Structure formats: structure tokens, C-alpha cells
Amino acid sequence: MQVFLGIDGGGTGCRAALCDAQGRILGRGAAGPANISTDTAGALANILTASNAALDAAGGVDPARVSAVLGLAGANVSRAAAQLSAGLPFARHRIVSDAMTATVGALRGADGIVAAMGTGSVFGLSHKGTFRQFGGRGFVLGDEGSGAVLGRALLAEALRAEDGFAPMTPLLQSVLDGHGGAEGVIAFSLRASPAEFAQFAPKLLQGDDPAAERIMTDAVMVVRAMINRLQTDPPLPVVFLGGLAGAYAARLARCWDIRAPLGSGLDGALLLAQGAG
Amino acid sequence: MQVFLGIDGGGTGCRAALCDAQGRILGRGAAGPANISTDTAGALANILTASNAALDAAGGVDPARVSAVLGLAGANVSRAAAQLSAGLPFARHRIVSDAMTATVGALRGADGIVAAMGTGSVFGLSHKGTFRQFGGRGFVLGDEGSGAVLGRALLAEALRAEDGFAPMTPLLQSVLDGHGGAEGVIAFSLRASPAEFAQFAPKLLQGDDPAAERIMTDAVMVVRAMINRLQTDPPLPVVFLGGLAGAYAARLARCWDIRAPLGSGLDGALLLAQGAG
């Protein structure tokens, strides 16, 4: 009897779930990070740990019976995916992006657009049985509307205000004061990771600071234009995921049919493994 | 008899010149990089090498007779400036930003606005005997209109075009092809220095690619707004410096009285040392 394994792996952890042809969960497992583009060997080790835990929990399932789908951050780096592929023991497997499993999971395989707005950002379009991914180009060149990009915009605006190029506001002044002035903000910017920039994003959602509203308005316009570019006629439902999901859903509620996610990326990987996604 | 030493130090090298009270050059020297914020000890060593060469060329001038002004990249990092200061042998010295010496040199001490548009960007305002620096906040948060920021904008637009979020053009396609596709562009963006991004800026100034024109138009608008914010009534003359000086001067020729620079940053340091800046 064939069984189906779903893997959802990203920068913080890796989860696995095993199910039968009826979708009944037989076992689960979890392990550490699985970003194959930054640490392929470490990702493979964690994926095997999580998978083996799921197979063991199901009574020691033979990998030769397993049809697996792995939704992984960094799966778009083809060399890393090939290297990972060589180390997997399953009868069949398919490596896809975590954006694809998140989209299929959020829509339960139905047509729609998923905008994942977390530290980074990426857009998934599921339409007539095909999936396409947009954006997700990273902090330096893309990740439009993401927490990291919003945080960077806030710090940049604080420096512009300190120079008199933009109006000073209480929030911008508090950002400057929090770093001991402009010099501290610049020093932070040269060493901070995207996740550290993203820690400033919640400040943009609190209260009614004029600079925060301007930055959020600009970001909402960018995200709206990107989603409109992906829309079809008739329009598809839109699901927002990630820490900024609520903020974008509230500000774009009148643009499209915005829905809550129906499942997780792990659910999406399982659906794809069953051939249903 | 008192003599005056000017030092112009940056990421690529360090130059020194010694003059008398009448401004006659007595000696010159040069050495390696002097960015005090990234390598304070190395910057000090190179500054001393260049200074000693200038003092030797003038017949072995005693540092106790020297009044020095040092215009240095990274001078805004106060801790590094204090550390450097402790190692200097001159009777008197003053450490200022390279933006200040560039401004004083370009205007020969007169009032005006200097926009240094190179790999980075920074704006100097000399008005009624006082100098103020604006911008120059670095590649991550600032450096508006700079070569590095323009190059980054070109790469980001290429990725947007590849996603269908912006129109594809011959230049954007050539950028993608030059990196073996979007994956290569993203990989480059994660490891490239500002100078490496800036190497793409000249592509924006050649021919008439619609994407290049859009990116340059946006940058010119940003730079124009920043300079307008610094302008006085009656308006000050504007000098553009750096590799993009010609591009901005041509596109903003009708906005202000744009002039060619009258001298270098080293000239500015000497003028300041003589108390004339």
C-alpha cells in the first residue's frame, strides 16, 4: 500500500506528516531548519530526521512505499535541489517551493492567489490546475511589502527626517532615539539581517503616526498592484498569510474576495503528494 | 613659520599636500586607503605615510609647525575619529568629512550646494560661512541617486519584468541573460558590494531603453527634490561631482545655476587648513 509524505521546511524548522490514500494522518515528525540554499547538508539531515520520525510513528513504514512532496524555502536554487534530491530515500519525491505548498494548503487545491507577507514576501497563483510563483526575490532586490522591507523603509525615513528631507514624526524620532541617533541607525543597517529589520514592522501598524501611515499606504499600493497583475477574469479569491496578513487583508478588504487560509503549507505538501494539488 | 597640511582620504587612497600662508604648495604625498570607520589603524598608518612624504618633500618640516585639516570618508563615526585623533602628531588638526572638503574645494570656499554622485551619494551645503552635510547614509538606507542605488534599481526592475510586474525591455533582458536568469541575479544581489552594483549604472545612461529612462527619471526627481530642499533664496549655485556628475548636470541643467568644480577635496582641505574655507 502506497503512503504519502508531506514536508514543510523553512529557515526556522521542518515538519513532516504521513497519510494514507484517504488522507488519514498516520504519523508526524519535526526537526530543525531546512533552507536548502543556505545549508543543503543541514537541510537534508533535518528533513531525514523529521521524515523518519513520521515513518516510525506510523509503525516503521518502508521509504520504498513513500511518495513524498517537499515544500522547501530555497527550492528555486536548482543546484541545491539536485544535491538534496540525491540524498532522499523515498520511492518517489518532488521538491517544490514552500510558496507552492503554502498556496495549495491555503486554498486546499482550489484556484486563487496567496500572498505570503512575513519577513519576506512571495505570491502564489493557483489557476486551472497550474501553479506559478511571483516575487520572493529576496530582501535586496524584492520582497515587496514584507516586514523586512517595511522596517528598512521606516529606518530610511527616519534618516531622511533627521536630514530635513521628510517631516519628523514621533515614531521617526523614537527610531532615531532608540539607536542613539542617525549614526546608530546607519551602523544597525550595515549589520542587520532581514529578520532584524522586520522587527520594526509592527511599529508601523500601531497608532496613527503620519510617517507610518505613509509607508504602509505606499506598501499597500505596491502589493495591490502586484496582486491585480495576477488577477484573472472572473477574479480569484485572495488569501494573505504571514505576520502581516491581517494588516494587508484589512487595508485591501474592498479590492477582492479575501479569505482565511484553509490549511498550512504542510497540508499543501500532503495534498500535492496525494496528487490532489 | 606655520605651514598648512591638507589630507583627502577615502576608500581607494589618501593624498596629502602642504602649503605656506600664501597657498604655495611646498610638498605632496600619497598612500593607500583611509576609511577610518572600516579600518581605523590602517587609515592612520596611510595618513601618516602620506603626510610624512609631504613634510619630507618640503625639506623635512617639523609636525609641530603644521596646522592640518583631514577630510576623511567615515569621519561621521565619532569613535573612530577620536581614535585617529590620538595618533596624529601635528600642532593642530581637525578631522572633517570628505563631503566637507569636497564641497569647500569644489566651490573654493564660496556659498553653494555640492552633490557628490558616485558609488554612494552625499550632499554638501555651504552657506554664509557654515557647512552642513545631508544624505550619505549608505547603500542600505540612503545614498539616493548613487551609482550603487541605480544599479540595484536596474537589477530589481529586471526581476520585476521577469515576473511580469513591469514591461520587459532589451536592457532588462540583457541583465537577466548576463546572470544566467533571475536566479543568478538574486545570487549576485546577496553577495555584491555597493561598488559592484554601481558597475551597472553606466548601462542606464546609454541608448534609450524605456526601463533605463524610467529608472533615471525617478532618480533625477529624487535628487532634484533633495537639492531643492537645500536651496536658499536667492538660489545657490550647484556643483555635481563623481562619476554620475555629467548625467545629473545634463538632466537638471534648467533647474539651477550648475557649475563645474573649481577644485578637489584636497584643495578644500588645504583651504580649510588655511582658515579660508
Side-chain angles (χ1 to χ4, degrees), chain A residues 34 60 73 115 154 160 170 200 252 274:
Chain A
L154 175 62
R160 276 194 288 271
F200 289 91
L252 292 165
Q274 294 170 270

Side-chain angles (χ1 to χ4, degrees), chain A residues 76-78 133-135 137 140-141 144 152 156 159-160 162-165 182-183 185-186 189 197 226 229, chain B residues 76-78 134-135 137 140-141 144 152 156 159-160 162-165 182-183 185-186 189 197 226 229:
Chain A
N76 54 331
V77 181
S78 45
Q133 179 176 330
F134 300 84
R137 307 314 203 146
V140 179
L141 297 180
E144 288 87 348
R152 181 177 60 194
L159 294 180
R160 276 194 288 271
E162 206 260 353
D163 258 342
F165 291 127
E183 198 178 297
V185 174
I186 296 168
S189 78
F197 279 101
M226 292 175 87
R229 174 68 190 72
Chain B
N76 54 331
V77 181
S78 46
F134 300 84
R137 308 314 203 144
V140 180
L141 298 180
E144 288 86 348
R152 181 176 61 193
L159 294 180
R160 276 193 288 272
E162 207 261 352
D163 258 342
F165 291 126
E183 198 178 297
V185 173
I186 296 168
S189 79
F197 279 102
M226 291 176 88
R229 174 68 190 72

Side-chain angles (χ1 to χ4, degrees), chain B residues 8-15 30-36 38 46 73 98 119 195:
Chain B
D8 177 56
T12 53
C14 169
R15 295 180 306 150
N35 187 317
I36 62 171
T38 56
N46 285 327
D98 54 346
T119 298

Side-chain angles (χ1 to χ4, degrees), chain A residues 35-239:
Chain A
N35 187 317
I36 62 172
S37 64
T38 56
D39 178 11
T40 312
L44 174 59
N46 285 327
I47 287 164
L48 293 177
T49 300
S51 304
N52 289 336
L55 300 184
D56 288 350
V61 172
D62 182 356
R65 286 175 50 208
V66 170
S67 185
V69 166
L70 300 84
L72 302 177
N76 54 331
V77 181
S78 45
R79 195 168 43 186
Q83 199 179 327
L84 181 77
S85 208
L88 296 176
F90 312 116
R92 291 190 304 169
H93 70 257
R94 184 173 161 212
I95 298 170
V96 301
S97 73
D98 54 346
M100 181 169 183
T101 48
T103 299
V104 171
L107 299 163
R108 282 224 179 278
D111 282 0
I113 294 167
V114 169
M117 312 302 296
T119 298
S121 73
V122 64
F123 301 85
L125 169 66
S126 196
H127 189 223
K128 295 184 178 172
T130 64
F131 170 81
R132 277 192 66 192
Q133 179 176 330
F134 300 84
R137 307 314 203 146
F139 178 58
V140 179
L141 297 180
D143 282 8
E144 288 87 348
S146 68
V149 167
L150 286 172
R152 181 177 60 194
L154 175 62
L155 298 191
E157 192 71 356
L159 294 180
R160 276 194 288 271
E162 206 260 353
D163 258 342
F165 291 127
M168 184 59 76
T169 71
L171 175 59
L172 298 179
Q173 190 62 57
S174 80
V175 165
L176 290 165
D177 294 345
H179 291 85
E183 198 178 297
V185 174
I186 296 168
F188 173 85
S189 78
L190 298 178
R191 63 165 193 266
S193 66
E196 289 172 301
F197 279 101
Q199 285 171 3
F200 289 91
K203 290 185 188 291
L204 295 169
L205 309 176
Q206 300 154 358
D208 53 358
D209 186 88
E213 289 188 1
R214 199 164 52 245
I215 291 168
M216 277 310 297
T217 299
D218 288 351
V220 167
M221 278 176 59
V222 167
V223 169
R224 185 175 64 183
M226 292 175 87
I227 293 176
N228 274 337
R229 174 68 190 72
L230 305 181
Q231 275 292 9
T232 59
D233 184 14
L236 296 167
V238 175
V239 178

Side-chain angles (χ1 to χ4, degrees), chain B residues 4-157:
Chain B
F4 305 94
L5 181 70
I7 304 270
D8 177 56
T12 53
C14 169
R15 295 180 306 150
L18 193 75
C19 73
D20 61 17
Q22 285 70 48
R24 283 181 297 236
I25 299 294
L26 307 174
R28 293 184 179 275
N35 187 317
I36 62 171
S37 64
T38 56
D39 178 11
T40 311
L44 174 60
N46 285 327
I47 287 165
L48 293 177
T49 299
S51 304
N52 289 336
L55 300 184
D56 288 351
V61 172
D62 183 355
R65 286 175 51 208
V66 170
S67 184
V69 166
L70 300 84
L72 302 178
N76 54 331
V77 181
S78 46
R79 194 167 43 187
Q83 199 179 326
L84 180 78
S85 208
L88 295 175
F90 312 116
R92 291 189 303 169
H93 70 257
R94 184 174 160 211
I95 298 171
V96 301
S97 73
D98 54 346
M100 180 169 183
T101 48
T103 298
V104 172
L107 298 163
R108 282 225 177 276
D111 283 359
I113 294 168
V114 169
M117 312 303 296
T119 298
S121 73
V122 64
F123 301 85
L125 169 65
S126 195
H127 190 223
K128 295 184 178 173
T130 63
F131 170 82
R132 279 192 66 193
Q133 180 176 330
F134 300 84
R137 308 314 203 144
F139 178 58
V140 180
L141 298 180
D143 283 7
E144 288 86 348
S146 68
V149 167
L150 286 172
R152 181 176 61 193
L154 175 62
L155 299 190
E157 191 71 356

